[in-house]
Amino acid sequence: MMIDGHQHFWDPARADYPWMEAAELAPIRRAFAPADLAPLLRANGIDASIVVQCRSSIEETEEFLRLADATPFVIGVVGWADLTDGDLDVTLGRLRDSPGGAKLVGIRHQVHDEADPDWLLREDVQRGLTAVFAHDLAYDFLVRTRELPAAIATAQAFPRARFVLDHVAKPPIADGFSRDWADLLAALATCGNVWCKISGLATEAKWDDWDAERLFPYVEHAAKCFGEDRLIFGSDWPVCLLAGSYAEIKGALEACLARLGSNVYEKARGRNARDAYLLAKPGR
């Protein structure tokens, strides 16, 4: 079973997405729904997907769970919940008991948008993470190089928890290979409870000047750090459309993974996502 481990749905006509206000994001400032993704998955041989939060909204998480309940190919939801909420345990219990709640597999917050690079280490945030893991959910790190030290400390603080790093921590590909990013990624990978999504790379490059060869050093470094059992393919659709079509993005990432060997290629396309998120099969 091939899984797209990272995709989104949104509708700017129905909700606000502060990160979408930049002029260069105009091409994706429109509604994207399951009906738009389904034919792309079929055309590209993908069986299932994981939908990931787009804004800091419990209402969006509830909506995604209802959507997943009605959409067999969506086998997991990485939603948002307020980690600083003293009643987070109750909120997560309510979400798990709601329609589609069985498909809640993780929680994410847009940490790289916080002013404090150590936001993850705040006492109230760490208390919230304790509640997340008590419900056997994974936590997705959405961080850049600046926040990687806090992510490392957090993964070390919860050695029995499951973490997933989104977009290989967004290396600054357009500016050239970053030694700081590479060294911190290697340090995070020493935490055996962290998986890494091979996703979101083309949009970190120059959108009109990238190819698989340009992305390969970053995929190769992630593979050296995390090994074949902790890499997860993700399209980052529809954000990826800024740089290329779904098929172009998938083809480039698969070409990079294939260069690293059949085990890396096959496991990143499904098994590792199932392990990281404890996923059920489609339709269940």
Side-chain angles (χ1 to χ4, degrees):
M1 179 174 67
M2 183 169 183
I3 299 169
D4 181 341
H6 196 102
Q7 52 88 188
H8 305 283
F9 299 124
W10 61 63
D11 185 353
R14 298 178 55 234
D16 292 328
Y17 301 85
W19 59 270
M20 208 183 290
E21 293 174 359
E24 62 267 25
L25 300 183
I28 60 170
R29 199 179 301 127
R30 63 178 180 84
F32 291 92
D36 301 301
L37 181 58
L40 299 176
L41 297 184
R42 287 195 299 271
N44 287 277
I46 296 178
D47 303 295
S49 75
I50 298 170
V51 63
V52 180
Q53 65 88 215
C54 311
R55 58 194 182 97
S56 299
S57 164
I58 200 72
E59 290 78 18
E60 180 191 68
T61 303
E62 293 167 340
E63 180 182 353
F64 280 175
L65 291 176
R66 290 192 298 269
L67 181 153
D69 194 40
T71 309
F73 72 73
V74 176
I75 58 172
V77 173
V78 176
W80 181 90
D82 185 357
L83 295 180
T84 68
D85 179 6
D87 291 325
L88 181 58
D89 180 70
V90 174
T91 298
L92 293 174
R94 178 176 59 78
L95 290 173
R96 296 301 293 269
D97 290 337
S98 66
K103 290 187 176 181
L104 183 65
V105 297
I107 295 295
R108 185 178 86 152
H109 178 74
Q110 287 151 300
V111 173
H112 63 27
D113 291 336
E114 293 288 343
D116 180 4
D118 291 327
W119 184 87
L120 281 165
L121 302 180
R122 284 173 33 171
E123 182 178 352
D124 52 354
V125 173
Q126 295 272 301
R127 186 168 55 247
L129 288 170
T130 299
V132 169
F133 303 134
H135 285 267
D136 205 18
L137 299 170
Y139 182 77
D140 270 35
F141 286 130
L142 182 57
V143 298
R144 298 184 186 272
T145 303
R146 182 192 74 142
E147 297 86 26
L148 274 172
I152 293 165
T154 299
Q156 291 171 338
F158 297 94
R160 296 179 181 274
R162 289 172 289 111
F163 295 91
V164 181
L165 176 66
D166 290 348
H167 312 323
V168 203
K170 294 193 172 184
I173 299 174
D175 298 328
F177 197 89
S178 165
R179 192 73 254 166
D180 286 345
W181 165 82
D183 290 345
L184 287 167
L185 191 78
L188 179 62
T190 64
C191 302
N193 57 336
V194 183
W195 284 257
C196 178
K197 285 183 184 175
I198 304 301
S199 60
L201 293 179
T203 45
E204 294 304 316
K206 295 178 180 178
W207 297 350
D208 60 352
D209 184 22
W210 68 273
D211 56 20
E213 194 66 31
R214 202 78 56 89
L215 303 184
F216 181 70
Y218 302 90
V219 179
E220 182 181 38
H221 182 64
K224 286 179 179 177
C225 293
F226 287 91
E228 66 184 48
D229 293 322
R230 291 189 287 147
L231 300 180
I232 297 171
F233 161 80
S235 68
D236 197 26
W237 180 91
V239 179
C240 70
L241 299 179
L242 295 166
S245 69
Y246 192 102
E248 289 169 335
I249 298 298
K250 175 180 179 282
L253 295 182
E254 286 193 319
C256 291
L257 292 166
R259 286 178 61 176
L260 299 169
S262 59
N263 282 349
V264 171
Y265 176 78
E266 292 298 338
K267 292 179 180 180
R269 287 161 30 102
R271 195 187 88 174
N272 294 345
R274 294 199 301 270
D275 292 345
Y277 289 116
L278 306 181
L279 293 171
K281 293 182 179 180
R284 292 179 57 188

